[in-house]
Amino acid sequence: MSTTRRSTADQATFQTSAPNTLLTLYRRTRQRTLSLVEPLSEEDCCVQSQLSCSPAKWHLGHTTWFFERFIAVDALGKSAYNDRFEFLFNSYYNALGDRQPRACRGLLTRPGLGEVLAYRHVVDDAVCEALEQDRLPQQALAALRLGLNHEQQHQELLLMDIKHLFSCSPLHVPYIDDEPAEEVSSASSAHWVEFAGGLTEVGAIAGDGFTFDNESPRHRVFREPFALQNRLITNGEYRAFVEDNGYERAELWLDAGWRARSQAEWRMPAYWCEVDGVLCEFTLYGTRPLRDAEPVLHLSYFEADAFARWSGARLPTEFELETAYPTSAGDDDANGRLLEAGRFHAAPAVERSDRSVMRQVRGDAWEWTSSSYGPYPGYRPPPGAVGEYNGKFMCNQYVLRGGSFATPTDHLRSTYRNFFEPGDRWQFSGLRLARSLNA
Amino acid sequence: MSTTRRSTADQATFQTSAPNTLLTLYRRTRQRTLSLVEPLSEEDCCVQSQLSCSPAKWHLGHTTWFFERFIAVDALGKSAYNDRFEFLFNSYYNALGDRQPRACRGLLTRPGLGEVLAYRHVVDDAVCEALEQDRLPQQALAALRLGLNHEQQHQELLLMDIKHLFSCSPLHVPYIDDEPAEEVSSASSAHWVEFAGGLTEVGAIAGDGFTFDNESPRHRVFREPFALQNRLITNGEYRAFVEDNGYERAELWLDAGWRARSQAEWRMPAYWCEVDGVLCEFTLYGTRPLRDAEPVLHLSYFEADAFARWSGARLPTEFELETAYPTSAGDDDANGRLLEAGRFHAAPAVERSDRSVMRQVRGDAWEWTSSSYGPYPGYRPPPGAVGEYNGKFMCNQYVLRGGSFATPTDHLRSTYRNFFEPGDRWQFSGLRLARSLNA
Amino acid sequence: MSTTRRSTADQATFQTSAPNTLLTLYRRTRQRTLSLVEPLSEEDCCVQSQLSCSPAKWHLGHTTWFFERFIAVDALGKSAYNDRFEFLFNSYYNALGDRQPRACRGLLTRPGLGEVLAYRHVVDDAVCEALEQDRLPQQALAALRLGLNHEQQHQELLLMDIKHLFSCSPLHVPYIDDEPAEEVSSASSAHWVEFAGGLTEVGAIAGDGFTFDNESPRHRVFREPFALQNRLITNGEYRAFVEDNGYERAELWLDAGWRARSQAEWRMPAYWCEVDGVLCEFTLYGTRPLRDAEPVLHLSYFEADAFARWSGARLPTEFELETAYPTSAGDDDANGRLLEAGRFHAAPAVERSDRSVMRQVRGDAWEWTSSSYGPYPGYRPPPGAVGEYNGKFMCNQYVLRGGSFATPTDHLRSTYRNFFEPGDRWQFSGLRLARSLNA
Amino acid sequence: MSTTRRSTADQATFQTSAPNTLLTLYRRTRQRTLSLVEPLSEEDCCVQSQLSCSPAKWHLGHTTWFFERFIAVDALGKSAYNDRFEFLFNSYYNALGDRQPRACRGLLTRPGLGEVLAYRHVVDDAVCEALEQDRLPQQALAALRLGLNHEQQHQELLLMDIKHLFSCSPLHVPYIDDEPAEEVSSASSAHWVEFAGGLTEVGAIAGDGFTFDNESPRHRVFREPFALQNRLITNGEYRAFVEDNGYERAELWLDAGWRARSQAEWRMPAYWCEVDGVLCEFTLYGTRPLRDAEPVLHLSYFEADAFARWSGARLPTEFELETAYPTSAGDDDANGRLLEAGRFHAAPAVERSDRSVMRQVRGDAWEWTSSSYGPYPGYRPPPGAVGEYNGKFMCNQYVLRGGSFATPTDHLRSTYRNFFEPGDRWQFSGLRLARSLNA
């Protein structure tokens, strides 16, 4: 998918979009969330399996609350569906008052799934009616677009959280059945693609479709010449690191990483396990033998960094990745839109003749970068409660670029900044190697 | 309910019971557990609200597994309903292998409630068929009786755990509606009843109905002369302790109690709260104003002990209570069987003319004793896995006697030993004052 | 040392003691504490190696503060040496106000050791002068006797704490040099000594020398017939338990014990370690090969209990030990007064012809009992701050009887109750086996 | 001190330095460490007051071990003074084997201070002899220079750690007496100094005196136009933030900062306290009233960031500070070399007529920057154990620039990168405000 075509598409759907187009988008987005919880029971939707995860039901309620609060209540003057729901479904907006502690989202057996779905219905009716009647002012439309992108982020979070929950079950239940057969059993070869350095612009171009505040302002950065591998690191390559005792060699690790590894007793990526002597992986399709050609997933920053050091390379910076992607114009890598295509796992890079094409730049695995997540020069959070959306998390997290198989397609843009703490590994995160050319 | 009549009843149901009487009892007991979960949704049944609580679904599965394992599999040679269920539903029997960690019982969204109920059905069919055909050997019949008493214990645990879960909800949802109106608003007066000391026998009389191993062997103990109050401490009395800064005066507390209170920031009993300036209590009927005449509930050992010290009295020993109860023969205190009568909370002691009658000795609130839970002289746990039922917990716990509104009626016997850690307070625990007569 | 002679001696020193005898005792006791810190540097005296240990300097200050507070200030009207010292050296007396948190006693680099010794000197001068001039009223004399016994308890604590501190050093520094050579390499044989049951009196006889409040009131208890082994369990016997995988077999352990063992990864008693393939023990003489004939030391209650179960026996109750000791009249076991004799470790029981004599009943290792530490019937703590001395700790601790090589001789009495939490093992604690005769 | 003169001086002392000059420097540096511990007792030198602090004795031993290991052993072939000392005094070099856990450095009562000083003496003799005889090869000379800079870093750490230890004492003991009287009671006025943006070079210039590896390679960065305040934030300004409820307003804080503040219950900077209603500060001179004109010290990154947000400004980046400093050429701010001048606390900025001069750029308080501590483009840690010096800590820490009153003078260079975790606040850290000019 070319950047050019994407931003054209964006303009169609977001920017110059007539309300009715927004209506279609709203319905499609809301429906897609529902389709993701379809394989789940009420119990699956209720439980919180670790502090950083939320129950699926909470995701359903929280995304709905976002529209209720910022559209139905603030813009349309409706009263709240239930006075207590703001307490239950506010995630982290201090400006909007007290709320259910994050660690206790799994205690909310009430309201039940049925009532949360009814709540969705009521809010959707109000929003859709307003869109049909073209009654939303510009500011509300902006909030609506933010809400849709917000809901899309939660779609990926929901899959991450469900995968974690299901991984805790000794029954090894799959989220979904019928995984496609292995496409290729050996990885395509890896090549280095070189990039000139220099001063360049990064960040979102104002007016060019929806972007989050953390992608702005557009600004200049200077990069030294560098090279990137043309594809992601595979399970097979990472397995070699494991077998070379990568998890036992302190010299390969950051100090904080070594401590994390020691405390949590990491010996392989999350969800890898040995079953009857065979190295396996728990996926959304259940537990099955590890496929060497697929991109490695569920690495922490520390593991990605240690692997890169072991490889004699390093992690890329976020701007190396951002500026490398547009140069790969013309690459319509099929791996984007995996989830839309009904595929719930990362796919291997297929062998191609053109070695200089950057592969898997979107839609397989998030790529850890060495960039600490911080504000761009001149960044200011927007006024009001939504100012808490991104800015206050800009500390001790690292940026991931690209996107995973579970990332909604229109989030697959080169300026998109995902971020996690360096010890997190329940997200769909892998890596691509980088190296400096002049060093 | 007189002791005499109870043990007659016991003999009818347990001891000389023909298998068909056991069949009736089995069906009734199993059915009663189901009736307790009737007000609950699938989500309510799945969540674990604290480490010491278990999800209702787990209680349903665990009690079923007990019968499956010790009757269907061990005695009838059936194969297991599901090979993994022993892993999921074994509570703490090391002799039976690895199991789901206690802290993770709430992660079991699968099997769903429906499947656990189906599992109950299959096991019940097997057990009932065997009982109908009189095919169970003596040893299996003993295990069956243990299983029934075990399930009854879990019925009370289930209510404790559900109460805790519901108390965590900001929605203040009741477990059950329509609480009976307040009976009396002021407590009956309290009197001291005196008891001679001396050497006496305590513990279960062999052959006199079902008892747990921890109630045996019967043995002799020497007691100094003592007095007990004729009824339990009320909410009103305990409120006076709170208002007298009882929670702020270190001299009233055990050292470990003071530390527990400080760390957990206890300022009143569990489930007490202030709502709009009114002192309220969360009950199985929801949150409503505290009723002064009712027995205080949800005290830790430390709070009960501090209250007793503040009162210039002390907690009774377990043998003071045990030997005091039979002397109150003829007292048919109506409070026993509260739950069977459809009442889900402790009831006040009604005023009576006979001051020497011990009141509320069964069926309102468990009474903390100063007795550390230990083995009786000559105690030996039974052989096999059931040997882990009681013995291994005989350390750092304190005995409670009597019974609560949620205790099944045939557990309301004077030799019954309940036990909890001194900091626990989610059980239905109150206290009765004691004092030494010669000291 | 016979009981008779001891209590005669006690009467001489404590009861009918003229002030000048008390003076001698005061000087001797205070001097002995100083002699214990003689091998220590200022740094050794300052550091706190775990929460339950105190620095030697703090012991020096705290014991001095006890005399300053209850004699010099309260009885003699002196002003405090330093206003802040009560804050620093009050251990746990809530009645006397705020104090240095226990966990932070090791942060007190000031006052330095020199100043604390000067403080001792000033207080000693005041007390001795008052004793010489016979100016202390009865109540102050009682406080003085309590203070001396208090200081003696701290002498043993000081050795426990120093041993723990030194055990933390990778340098394996001995507290003292020149350990006596091994006396015997194989243990004397063990025999069972039988005791009739029945009703009997236990607890301190009023007027019979100094005792702590927790030894009173004297009262009656009923014991079933029982037997005790005539000597303590040896290292060799305990080593057999270790080699029989005693630490890997859950069925031998209390549930709380199994959790403690798992969390702390216990695989042998505290201070045992393997050096170059040889099983060794860290002692106050440094690290040296384990001596099989010596009593095992540094067991937690849980380990002692598991060992007893593995042996097919059990731990004794505190009253079984208390009532068994007087029957061994005539035994002048040489092991008492080990420390006074300059020996800093427990000694083996030497073979004797008379099998029925109870050996090592005092002065080698504290003996864990199955008795939870609680108040005797009619017990009341004394009024005032000293009421916090014992009573408030009567919860979740277990009684140890007998005494260790480090216990001052006049604490070696049959009614003495030592107590520790069941997971503690830095004290000099071993065990003696018991069994029930009629069970 | 002008940059020009400093680097000339550096060249004199480091670069072209003849060994005998190095000898002088070695002796002076080693002597200065000794002078810092002069006010301390043996006990003060032994205790570790929190995990991130080390005992002064450990600093003495560790800095000595650095020279022993890399000069005396590796370069001169000497044998170790004591085989166990590498275990004791290795800080974090995995390549050099196991070591005393950081959390347990305070347990090392042995070797005593005297022996550690003797150890210093022996190592110093060996190093000085080699320097006198000009026997050290180039690589060893580089290690020696690193060791001297390393020791200088530990000089500041030692003061930080001692201040923390002394702050824990209820006695409020000063490290040093006779603080100079307050110079000015009101702060000089603050002005904004503007800087043009553009592409510029940052990082150490190779060959220009000693620098740490983390200051290299020199490379280009692009900065937008910005402004900095000409002096540090004062206590008085920070006090206004506190009084404006800055610690109670979540909207001013990073999310991680709000959590840190809530968990640790921060209500003011470290070492501020209220004494009898007067806001005071614990300093190396003891506790005394807060001086409004002095720079605020002991802020965490989170507090500095919240203060900046409250001020409508932001923290500078590390490169804004680095490139702003040389422009202030000609400023001979007297505050540098405070410690050398015998002053143990930060000093106020005195009023000056030239508003555009950057004040307090060195030598009062470290300045938090918004820059996450990471490697410069092309950075590679040096080979061998010293490769662990800096690189492995480049994660989740933030850069501080400038220097404090306790920073050795020749560390006061514009490329120097100090770094701490964002929650740390026992270092001498304050802030200077920045803002973007075009935003």
Side-chain angles (χ1 to χ4, degrees), chain A residues 125-358:
Chain A
D125 280 354
V127 171
C128 289
E129 193 189 67
L131 282 172
E132 280 159 5
Q133 301 173 358
D134 207 358
R135 286 196 290 119
L136 290 175
Q138 274 309 314
Q139 195 184 348
L141 288 175
L144 188 82
R145 284 186 200 103
L146 178 60
L148 290 172
N149 279 273
H150 171 256
E151 179 136 358
Q152 288 179 307
Q153 290 184 313
H154 276 276
Q155 289 167 355
E156 180 159 359
L157 286 169
L158 194 153
L159 284 174
M160 286 159 51
D161 294 355
I162 280 296
K163 183 171 182 178
H164 187 269
L165 172 64
F166 276 45
S167 79
C168 297
S169 167
L171 300 185
H172 303 291
V173 181
Y175 164 73
I176 198 159
D177 294 314
D178 301 323
E179 180 171 25
E182 192 163 10
E183 292 171 41
V184 291
S185 60
S186 63
S188 73
S189 52
H191 309 287
W192 289 99
V193 183
E194 301 196 348
F195 297 87
L199 196 63
T200 189
E201 289 204 334
V202 292
I205 299 171
D208 189 18
F210 175 87
T211 53
F212 285 105
D213 62 346
N214 63 7
E215 302 170 52
S216 289
R218 190 158 173 88
H219 65 288
R220 282 165 289 181
V221 294
F222 185 82
R223 298 151 310 135
E224 304 285 346
F226 64 100
L228 297 173
Q229 281 205 348
N230 68 326
R231 64 153 171 77
L232 299 175
I233 292 300
T234 64
N235 282 329
E237 286 161 341
Y238 198 86
R239 183 210 286 258
F241 168 71
V242 174
E243 288 169 355
D244 194 32
N245 290 317
Y247 280 79
E248 307 305 320
R249 292 160 59 185
E251 73 272 19
L252 298 173
W253 294 70
L254 287 164
D255 184 63
W258 188 249
R259 279 184 279 124
R261 160 230 166 258
S262 302
Q263 200 174 344
E265 299 183 3
W266 291 338
R267 295 295 174 264
M268 22 177 128
Y271 303 142
W272 284 23
C273 56
E274 219 178 270
V275 180
D276 301 331
V278 178
L279 197 54
C280 291
E281 185 179 15
F282 178 75
T283 72
L284 289 167
Y285 296 105
T287 300
R288 46 95 177 135
L290 190 71
R291 296 178 176 178
D292 277 351
E294 290 177 353
V296 63
L297 293 177
H298 299 296
L299 299 184
S300 65
Y301 175 79
F302 298 127
E303 289 161 295
D305 173 80
F307 176 88
R309 192 166 293 114
W310 174 79
S311 305
R314 61 168 172 83
L315 294 179
T317 69
E318 61 170 321
F319 300 126
E320 287 171 344
L321 288 187
E322 178 171 336
T323 56
Y325 289 171
T327 66
S328 59
D331 169 33
D332 201 350
D333 198 309
N335 290 356
R337 300 184 173 158
L338 279 176
L339 202 60
E340 273 93 344
R343 183 172 172 124
F344 287 81
H345 200 72
V350 185
E351 196 71 50
R352 287 179 53 144
S353 54
D354 185 350
R355 293 163 146 247
S356 68
V357 173
M358 294 293 291

